[in-house]
């Protein structure tokens, strides 16, 4: 039985297009791919795509694994230039020729990584539904962004020699609990940022026709000891009709696999009743300031088809698991991970990148 090894590799690929590109959230892409639109003085407007590759490889030596990791890491330099619909295909060699030759000479056999060479290509398709497609040749890239490598036994002429000595496997360490993992992340964050960390973010929410509806400005304060977050900010009505400012309160969301988790504003919004709620109905050109602390428990986002909106539910029954995930989210966001976004959901729909991200 082979053990499997996974490597998460964020690789940045730069793409350019001939004409004006749509907003990043309008571009269809695999869920393991993040997209941003940028521009350069000489290249013009281009796409920045960030895939999160995983490597699946049967058990092998640390040297061979390290070599393959380094090779795949080179894929982050693939670029799609203006007037060229394909990226400059980048090919990597998956086996270290020197170590393979040394193993064959010393032991008479070795295991080679298959395929021996891998090419990754990126293509941007324009049209009514613009999309980005990444392909691998040979095709070992699955829909989840996993690169499936395998091993092939090679024998030198004359047959194998004495087998290499394999060191005894170390004793299995005791599994780390959620409480211990959370404590480690908390200690790291406190050491790097202190007890609190602050960030300012802003962005404009537009209608389906591209017209501005609301300007949202916010300052986030992270309390790293308790994994809580306070948001101070304002919503300005840029449209021509009255609107509820509570509809545009931002949330910190984390996309993990098929699940979405959020530091939600629900508790604050639901607490507004009667006279407290009236000031949040604002006219065109006016703005409303807000301040709220996110719910004490993390929320998981579930799409309610009957109401055509997001319904948030408590994510975990266990406080230790809840604390761990909250600290993981804060750590990722403070490190600029594309998986964690501070955003407004103007349609209250749950989907990949359907919200308006605040920068």
């Amino acid at each position: 039985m082979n053990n499997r090894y996974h490597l998460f590799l964020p690789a940045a690929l730069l793409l350019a297009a001939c004409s004006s590109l749509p907003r990043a959230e309008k571009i269809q892409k695999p869920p393991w791919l993040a997209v941003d639109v940028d521009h350069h003085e000489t290249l013009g407007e281009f796409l920045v795509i960030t895939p999160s590759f995983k490597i699946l490889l049967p058990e092998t030596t640390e040297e061979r694994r390290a070599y393959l990791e380094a090779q795949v890491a080179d894929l982050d330099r693939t670029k799609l230039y203006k007037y060229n619909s394909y990226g400059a295909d980048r090919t990597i060699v998956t086996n270290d020729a020197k170590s393979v030759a040394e193993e064959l000479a010393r032991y008479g056999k070795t295991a080679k990584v298959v395929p021996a060479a891998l090419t990754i290509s990126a293509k941007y398709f324009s049209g009514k539904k613009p999309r980005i497609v990444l392909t691998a040749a040979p095709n070992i890239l699955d829909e989840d962004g996993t690169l499936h490598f395998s091993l092939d036994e090679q024998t030198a002429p004359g047959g194998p020699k004495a087998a290499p000595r394999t060191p005894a496997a170390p004793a299995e360490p005791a599994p780390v609990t959620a409480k211990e993992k959370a404590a480690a992340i908390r200690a790291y964050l406190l050491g790097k940022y202190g007890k609190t960390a602050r960030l300012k973010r802003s962005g404009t929410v537009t209608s389906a026709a591209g017209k501005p509806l609301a300007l949202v400005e916010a300052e986030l304060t992270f309390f790293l000891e308790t994994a809580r977050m306070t948001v101070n900010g304002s919503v300005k009505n840029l449209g021509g009709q009255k609107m509820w400012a509570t509809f545009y309160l931002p949330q910190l969301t984390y996309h993990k696999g098929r699940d979405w988790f959020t530091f939600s504003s629900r508790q604050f919004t639901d607490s507004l009743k009667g006279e407290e709620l009236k000031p949040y109905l604002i006219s065109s050109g006016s703005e409303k300031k807000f301040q709220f602390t996110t719910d004490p428990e993390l929320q998981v986002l579930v799409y309610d088809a009957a109401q055509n909106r997001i319904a948030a539910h408590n994510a975990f029954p266990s406080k230790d698991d809840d604390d761990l995930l909250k600290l993981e989210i804060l750590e990722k966001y403070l490190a600029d991970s594309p998986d964690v976004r501070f955003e407004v959901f103007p349609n209250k729909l749950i989907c990949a990148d359907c919200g308006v991200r605040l920068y």
Side-chain angles (χ1 to χ4, degrees):
M1 180 177 66
N2 289 326
N3 293 327
R4 298 289 186 179
Y5 175 80
H6 293 75
L7 169 69
F8 289 86
L9 175 67
L13 310 177
L14 298 181
L15 308 182
C18 303
S19 57
S20 180
L21 294 168
R23 298 207 312 265
E25 62 268 21
K26 300 296 184 181
I27 299 174
Q28 296 180 339
K29 58 182 180 53
W32 43 269
L33 190 68
V35 181
D36 290 303
V37 178
D38 208 337
H39 71 276
H40 189 276
E41 290 182 0
T42 56
L43 295 178
E45 197 174 29
F46 61 87
L47 295 173
V48 180
I49 66 173
T50 308
S52 296
F53 288 128
K54 292 181 291 184
I55 287 181
L56 195 61
L57 181 67
E59 185 178 8
T60 185
T61 64
E62 289 296 330
E63 293 80 4
R64 181 171 284 106
R65 181 177 295 131
Y67 176 81
L68 185 58
E69 291 173 12
Q71 290 294 93
V72 173
D74 284 341
L75 294 172
D76 66 358
R77 290 192 289 272
T78 301
K79 299 179 181 180
L80 185 68
Y81 291 100
K82 204 170 184 179
Y83 309 119
N84 186 357
S85 60
Y86 277 97
D89 296 340
R90 185 162 185 87
T91 300
I92 62 169
V93 178
T94 62
N95 290 282
D96 183 350
K98 182 179 179 181
S99 65
V100 167
E102 288 177 350
E103 287 185 3
L104 281 174
R106 180 176 299 178
Y107 308 117
K109 67 176 183 179
T110 188
K112 297 183 71 174
V113 176
V114 178
L118 173 68
T119 300
I120 295 290
S121 301
K123 185 173 183 180
Y124 169 72
F125 294 86
S126 59
K128 291 184 178 180
K129 293 183 178 180
R131 69 188 192 279
I132 290 174
V133 176
L134 254 64
T135 56
N139 187 18
I140 63 168
L141 177 65
D142 68 18
E143 61 183 5
D144 296 321
T146 304
L147 295 168
H148 292 259
F149 294 98
S150 58
L151 295 174
D152 182 31
E153 291 289 336
Q154 299 286 313
T155 304
K161 302 177 183 179
R165 298 178 64 183
T166 303
E172 286 289 333
V176 181
T177 65
K179 188 174 184 178
E180 291 171 332
K181 291 180 181 178
I185 297 175
R186 182 182 285 109
Y188 166 76
L189 292 175
L190 291 174
K192 184 171 183 179
Y193 301 100
K195 292 185 178 181
T196 59
R198 287 182 172 84
L199 293 173
K200 289 187 177 181
R201 294 289 186 264
S202 64
T204 301
V205 181
T206 59
S207 67
K211 295 182 178 180
L213 294 178
L215 171 65
V216 183
E217 296 182 328
E219 181 179 49
L220 292 70
T221 303
F222 301 98
F223 299 92
L224 302 177
E225 287 184 306
T226 58
R228 296 288 296 278
M229 184 178 78
T230 295
V231 185
N232 290 270
S234 64
V235 177
K236 183 174 183 179
N237 187 349
L238 302 180
Q241 299 178 342
K242 287 186 177 182
M243 54 171 263
W244 287 101
T246 51
F247 195 67
Y248 296 91
L249 296 185
Q251 303 179 81
L252 195 70
T253 56
Y254 174 42
H255 187 199
K256 184 177 183 181
R258 294 185 177 182
D259 297 320
W260 287 79
F261 301 95
T262 180
F263 283 86
S264 172
S265 61
R266 186 184 67 163
Q267 185 183 53
F268 170 74
T269 304
D270 291 349
S271 70
L272 298 173
K273 306 292 183 184
E275 294 300 320
E276 292 180 336
L277 184 60
K278 284 183 180 179
Y280 288 88
L281 182 61
I282 57 178
S283 303
S284 176
S286 62
E287 68 176 52
K288 174 62 180 174
K289 292 184 178 180
F290 61 84
Q291 180 186 55
F292 64 88
T293 299
T294 51
D295 294 356
E297 292 181 296
L298 199 64
Q299 305 288 303
V300 59
L301 301 180
V302 179
Y303 175 57
D304 187 332
Q307 300 183 49
N308 193 34
R309 62 172 292 169
I310 290 174
H313 304 282
N314 289 350
F316 292 108
S318 163
K319 184 179 184 303
D320 289 341
D321 288 334
D322 185 69
D323 282 347
L324 173 59
L325 186 55
K326 285 193 293 187
L327 287 164
E328 286 179 346
I329 293 173
L330 295 186
E331 179 187 20
K332 286 177 177 290
Y333 185 65
L334 290 170
D336 292 327
S337 169
D339 292 330
V340 184
R341 294 173 177 267
F342 186 59
E343 58 189 342
V344 177
F345 288 88
N347 299 318
K348 298 296 183 185
L349 296 174
I350 181 167
C351 61
D353 302 318
C354 68
V356 177
R357 186 175 182 181
L358 305 185
Y359 292 92

